[in-house]
Amino acid sequence: MTTSSEDVLLSVGHVRYKKGDGTLYVMNQRLAWMMENRDTVAVSHKYADIKTQKISPAGKPKVQLQVVLHDGTCSTFHFVNPAGADAQAKDRDQVKMLLQNLLPKFKRQIDGELEMKSRLLSLHPTLKHLYEDLVISKVINSEEYWNTPTLKHYTESTNMKQEAGVSGAFLADIQPQTDGCNGLKYNLTQDIIDAIFKTYPAVRKKHVDYVPNKMTEAEFWTKFFQSHYFHRDRIASSSSKDLFGECAKMDDQAIASAMKHTTLDLTVDLPQFTEPVPLLPEEDSGEKEKDGTSIHRSMIKRFNQHSIMVLKASHKTNSSSSSSNGSSKTTNNNKVENGMKETNGVEKRPTTDKDPAEPVDKKRRIMEKLHYEDLDSINSGQDAQELKLSKVERYLLGPASQVSQSSTSTNNPPPLSALASVCQAWSSGQQCQRPVRVSAAAAVGALGELSPGGALMRQHHAACMAQLVPQDVKSELNRLYLSGGELLRELWRCFPQPGASNDSEDTPARAEKFYEALLRFRNVKLRPFEEKMLRDLTPLATSLTRHMNQMIDTACAKYALWQQRQAKLR
Amino acid sequence: MKLTVDGLLVYFPYDYIYPEQYAYMLELKRALDAKGHGLLEMPSGTGKTISLLSLIVAYMIHNPHHVRKLIYCSRTVPEIEKVLEELKNLIKYYEKCQGETPNITGLVLSSRKNLCIHPDVSREREGKLVDGKCHSLTASYIREKHEMDDSIPICQFYEGFNREGKESMLPYGVYTMDDLKQYGADRNWCPYFLSRFAIIHAEIVVYSYHYLLDPKIAEVVSKELNKEAVVVFDEAHNIDNVCIDSLSVKITRRTIDKSTQALQTLEKAVAELKQEDASRLTAEYEQMVEGLREAAVARDTDLILANPILPDEVLNEVVPGNIRNAEHFLGFLKRFIEYLKMRLRTQHVVQESPAGLLKDLSARVCLERKPLRFCAARLQALLRTLQVADPAAFGALTLVAHLATLAATYTRGFVVIVEPYDDRHTLSNPVLHFSCMDSSIAMRPVFARFQSVIITSGTLSPLDMYPKILDFNPVIMSSFTMTLARPCILPMIVSKGSDQVAISSKYESREDVAVIRNYGQLLVEISSCVPDGVVCFFTSYMYLESVVGAWYDQGVVASLQRHKLLFIETQDSAETSFALINYIKACESGRGGVLLSVARGKVSEGVDFDHHLGRAVLMFGIPYVFTQSRILKARLDYLRDQFQIRENDFLTFDAMRHAAQCVGRVLRGKTDYGIMIFADKRFSRADKRSKLPRWIQEHLRDSLCNLSTEEAVQISKRWLRQMAQPFTREDQLGVSLLTLQQLQSQEQQDKIEKQVIQK
């Protein structure tokens, strides 16, 4: 028996699992359940395997505890203490509390990699699609999937923590829908809620204060949508009933304090623009008329505040994630407000140890404003590091040609274009500009011709396709291309580069694997799609996947050819 | 580069030059040679300032006896700072080429608020308070008191300057505000008074318009400036309004209340003084008998504001008997204030001439013209006698005294208007306007006094209007176009929306839902295809507010927010500044921003939207001035009678210069590019189109004059794609950018000659 070696922290009798009564043991390392009158453990979950525990709501007749494992399966334990519901709940809560303490300790032990992978998948919808298409449909196995370079790029890059900013229109995107009977329905997603919280800290604070103690989540958001805070064209009611009336005030204060703490750039500091006539009373100082248009006025104020806060929200995440990036950009705006200000920009010399940052900054701004880059002869990239290339032609033409050149130098003359570009690079003093293949004007012209309506796009094929294909098919096709492309890329990657003779041993095996995966993909994913299209979208059905098929065919042909050669070589 | 302009060696601190800069210098030199005045229009962002500075500095060095001084006036503080930095660059270049600093001192004069380094005083945010506090530390009688009693605070910096500063001259060089402050702080000298003192001898003075145009300030500050000077008014498209404002007075009920209070304070002070020390009042009386001139001997710290009238109108006579006595004078003022109070009580609009006002004054309250004329000076003298520490408290009273003096001095070119209600509301808010209608009044002494006055801006079209309204004869009047290697501006007139409804801000249709929606659609489309910053200008703040309201209801705001962040100018300038700085952040972070703003507002007058800060600018409607304003009507009548300028001509001129000013804000330099959209059907009419500056007109082809929203968007897209291509110096060289050799070639010289459009 395994239990003997472990400490049993708690044992609870009268626990039903899959219609059998037994005892639940909470142990050091795992959670176990033993059928009554048996001595083998029927259920045993290591804590490290357990993702979460769930309990049945308070009012339910059955008192249950469920543990969800990382692989998605779960076990439910039903507490059936004959002493009654209270005792059952007490049993359950004991277990729950204990688990609550124990689980986090083991959380950390579980595979950090796994966690990261699942986070990756949840963060990037495309990866998730890819995963679903390739792994879940068993085209390739999970390990292969994670080893593809695309994924490696994700898993290995450390700076993937780039949070998206807040859309400026997130409030407007909550389109109210009438539900037919005098009501409005707002669709709220987690993204929008996050955006609201990020942008309006005041609302978040309210949310923390009120939910779930004083009202439910739903009530809270209902109130939110009813408040003038959301409807910007309503005048703020002064009554304290409005939950969010305070928020508006808090926002005002936040903005006001931000205003006070921001040293204005001199180019935008409007109040300081003009020099007033000394001593004479200024016009209309202090008199603010209150009249009919103040709805608009407060609305305008809200719009400004909204934009400022959206900007701030995205700024905050920026600076926290990549501090090196954020600091350089914002220097001209966020300055220490006092210090220099107090003495109007000048300190006495003896105490000027800390460099008077403001004047320097100001000067930089002015210089920026009055500098004409085209009148100065100095190249703008003066202080930039010059790129030194040991082999210019390699940079210009890519490594492949270089390799082929070296290996087949005896019989193959180097391509003429390479020579030309090498000469060009020499003549321009190794400065290594990229050879201009087409002029800018010609490029623009070509772009124009290639856009719908241009000479080369007369038939409006693209436009027609785009209009004829329904949205869901389009997204499905997109996914097919995504996963198919991934496989194709892998397969092509397995073929040896021309000239690079030193193949590693496993490439044929790898190639075979991906070749098979590709065929599987064709059968499992592409064919069903084609059939579906044949049923639903007859005129287009074949043309939709023609390109995809073509690509697969080419790859297969290449593979066959390669196989032949390999066989011959051996 | 060193180039020769018509035989004059000019140091130009760049290696390349725009052809129009050279042309500009040529014309400028002609004006200087002729010792006459000039009117020069050159596109914004083509380096006007540096051309002006290089040529005039070179001219001063070569002809030290003809031109001794350059007085450079600009409108806003940032502009002034920019000019100084450019000047610094230029002097540095001289240093580099010649190995020594040229014997030139250039410095700025700004308000006390910007220059004060006194630890307490400079902490005040408001200019008025700084002036007041400064006065209370530096006035002559305060300093006298301090000699008796050490506990009375004075300003150490002023004392320092007074002791040592006046003997030495500023070393050659250029002094910005910060330099002056640093220089002052190092020596314990007051930078403000240092600057006031130094401008008399400095070769180059940079300050704001008021210091030369407003007689109240000019008399104090610029009185002793050399007459052999070149005066430059940069950004001068609004110069007539500055002139008018400097001679106009507006009295509200608040002003009256405050001045009544101030009067009571004065009465009390006089009574006290009479008991304690009657001798001072008698001395003052004696002075009055001798005349005011002697009373004001060289006490530069006492006087903050001089007479509001032009120096040639100031009577050099003995103060009339009935206001010599302090008590009598206060009684006199009291009667005047009561009279004004009575006038403000009216229920209907009154418009009359200053003569009518004078007649009414003498009939009702027995105030004669002569003593009224002395009011401002007499009040000044009284405040000095009473040794008022803080003159800021008497601002309203000073204003009333100014009104008295102005009304009694000028009988022509002014109008008195009493309006019991606001323009647009029915709220009772009586205002008495004493308004100048003739901008030439304030300008005339400047033209008469200085040998060359150059008026220049990016937008002065139509050029012939300025000589008329400012009443002067320019020897040079030119407009320069912009030579371009690629079409870096795209002006378009959008006259209809996608539904073919004509769009216009004209009064009958501006509230039309279709028009507002079309405006909204245009903006949404543009903001979806233009990168970074988009700036819009509305004709008035009222219109902006109502349009934003309508856009919110129509969902335009929501779709705008989907593309860019939205910022809106408000009437609170601090709030607007904050919005602006965030707009800049939004543009710089790549999110892009839309800024809704108002023509004639503070943003349109002072903020540049160069490069990514403004890739497109939209002008919603023609920014006519509020035509129902009675002051405007009076001015239009006056212009018609006096200068034969038709009302419509002037209104269109005024509207178009503001429109041009707004759209001109997007361009700076030839590497910059921007779309300019005039969204109003009426822009395409010949009378409007022809009043746009030449450099915009040239690019406004006929095919761009009557577009619908879609067409405009299509054209913009194509154009933006073109602009996004790499643009190198090689593309520009020889066309819009010249090296010294290219400049010297005969062919170029001829070309440049031809480019100048003279009128």
Side-chain angles (χ1 to χ4, degrees), chain B residues 257-482:
Chain B
D257 292 345
K258 281 202 163 172
S259 48
T260 318
Q261 275 172 24
L263 202 64
Q264 280 162 2
T265 324
L266 281 185
E267 275 170 348
K268 215 184 284 167
V270 168
E272 270 170 26
L273 190 64
K274 207 170 177 189
Q275 286 189 340
E276 285 169 16
D277 185 9
S279 63
R280 244 159 65 199
L281 285 175
T282 357
E284 187 201 23
Y285 185 88
E286 294 303 323
Q287 268 178 358
M288 294 298 145
V289 180
E290 283 162 29
L292 276 171
R293 275 292 157 97
E294 283 81 346
V297 271
R299 280 178 186 160
D300 46 1
T301 51
D302 294 356
L303 196 62
I304 290 185
L305 285 183
N307 233 331
I309 48 174
L310 295 168
D312 51 345
E313 302 280 358
V314 175
L315 288 184
N316 204 359
E317 289 177 34
V318 175
V319 176
N322 58 349
I323 58 167
R324 273 183 214 160
N325 185 310
E327 282 160 323
H328 293 172
F329 174 61
L330 290 180
F332 184 88
L333 267 185
K334 203 172 188 173
R335 262 188 289 162
F336 186 63
I337 292 171
E338 285 302 321
Y339 172 78
L340 291 179
K341 215 190 240 168
M342 186 269 292
R343 290 301 301 263
L344 284 182
R345 231 173 272 137
T346 172
Q347 286 301 311
H348 52 273
V349 178
V350 180
Q351 177 170 345
E352 61 185 358
S353 67
L357 183 77
L358 285 179
K359 201 170 154 225
D360 200 35
L361 268 170
S362 94
R364 294 209 197 191
V365 281
C366 301
L367 297 181
E368 295 302 327
R369 182 176 176 192
K370 190 112 179 252
L372 279 174
R373 266 182 103 162
F374 281 92
C375 258
R378 181 69 187 92
L379 181 66
Q380 204 63 250
L382 182 66
L383 289 179
R384 201 160 44 228
T385 313
L386 294 179
Q387 306 190 342
V388 171
D390 181 15
F394 299 95
L397 191 61
T398 315
L399 197 67
V400 170
H402 284 175
L403 171 67
T405 306
L406 280 168
T409 308
Y410 295 103
T411 46
R412 290 185 64 245
F414 284 80
V415 68
V416 181
I417 292 173
V418 187
E419 286 180 318
Y421 302 109
D422 280 20
D423 288 338
R424 301 164 183 98
H425 317 288
T426 44
L427 277 166
S428 168
N429 178 26
V431 182
L432 185 143
H433 298 277
F434 182 79
S435 181
C436 174
M437 297 184 295
D438 189 348
S439 45
S440 67
I441 294 177
M443 209 54 200
R444 196 169 297 127
V446 178
F447 283 126
R449 182 168 154 204
F450 298 105
Q451 77 183 30
S452 283
V453 176
I454 308 294
I455 291 178
T456 186
S457 171
T459 50
L460 284 177
S461 294
L463 283 177
D464 49 352
M465 187 62 93
Y466 286 89
K468 275 193 218 162
I469 55 176
L470 297 178
D471 191 24
F472 75 112
N473 270 324
V475 291
I476 286 292
M477 196 155 84
S478 306
S479 173
F480 302 88
T481 59
M482 187 154 45

Side-chain angles (χ1 to χ4, degrees), chain B residues 520-728:
Chain B
Q521 239 160 25
L522 176 66
L523 179 57
V524 170
E525 296 273 315
I526 286 292
S527 64
S528 70
C529 75
V530 173
D532 298 325
V534 174
V535 190
C536 311
F537 290 99
F538 288 81
T539 50
S540 70
Y541 198 77
M542 296 270 288
Y543 191 52
L544 168 68
E545 275 181 353
S546 73
V547 167
V548 169
W551 279 356
Y552 180 71
D553 296 337
Q554 293 169 351
V556 171
V557 169
S559 32
L560 260 183
Q561 283 177 328
R562 247 168 233 136
H563 300 298
K564 291 181 192 300
L565 291 178
L566 179 66
F567 297 93
I568 305 170
E569 178 178 2
T570 66
Q571 277 167 328
D572 180 339
S573 52
E575 227 175 278
T576 309
S577 295
F578 194 60
L580 262 176
I581 209 164
N582 279 288
Y583 168 79
I584 292 175
K585 262 190 224 166
C587 291
E588 265 162 12
S589 70
R591 287 197 78 120
V594 174
L595 181 74
L596 308 185
S597 155
V598 177
R600 296 164 195 280
K602 285 207 159 164
V603 171
S604 74
E605 283 297 331
V607 184
D608 285 330
F609 297 102
D610 46 342
H611 294 99
H612 60 287
L613 299 185
R615 282 296 179 220
V617 57
L618 292 94
M619 183 77 240
F620 290 128
I622 299 182
Y624 279 117
V625 60
F626 177 63
T627 43
Q628 300 306 306
S629 148
R630 291 188 183 81
I631 302 174
L632 177 76
K633 279 183 175 159
R635 189 174 171 204
L636 288 177
D637 289 341
Y638 184 82
L639 286 174
R640 191 190 52 217
D641 297 344
Q642 218 62 32
F643 300 116
Q644 288 77 48
I645 299 171
R646 277 186 303 160
E647 285 162 39
N648 243 339
D649 280 354
F650 184 79
L651 285 176
T652 314
F653 151 76
D654 186 60
M656 293 313 285
R657 70 173 165 181
H658 277 103
Q661 193 54 33
C662 290
V663 297
R665 299 258 140 215
V666 286
L667 201 72
R668 188 182 159 75
K670 292 180 175 179
T671 49
D672 195 4
Y673 56 89
I675 300 171
M676 303 171 169
I677 293 180
F678 300 91
D680 193 315
K681 193 176 182 316
R682 293 171 293 167
F683 275 117
S684 51
R685 287 187 204 149
D687 65 321
K688 312 282 188 305
R689 226 177 112 188
S690 63
K691 285 195 170 69
L692 282 172
R694 258 207 105 70
W695 56 280
I696 297 180
Q697 257 186 69
E698 272 188 347
H699 292 269
L700 190 58
R701 294 188 307 267
D702 284 340
S703 60
L704 297 176
C705 280
N706 187 17
L707 300 174
S708 71
T709 303
E710 277 97 355
E711 287 165 332
V713 170
Q714 282 310 320
I715 294 173
S716 310
K717 277 184 181 161
R718 206 179 315 134
W719 181 82
L720 281 170
R721 215 183 269 154
Q722 223 173 2
M723 286 299 117
Q725 297 307 314
F727 185 57
T728 56

Side-chain angles (χ1 to χ4, degrees), chain A residues 166 275 307 344 369 376, chain B residues 110 181 566 568 591 668 729:
Chain A
V166 181
E275 300 195 341
S307 297
N344 209 2
K369 283 277 168 198
D376 247 335
Chain B
S110 183
K181 280 195 271 188
L566 179 66
I568 305 170
R591 287 197 78 120
R668 188 182 159 75
R729 172 166 296 124

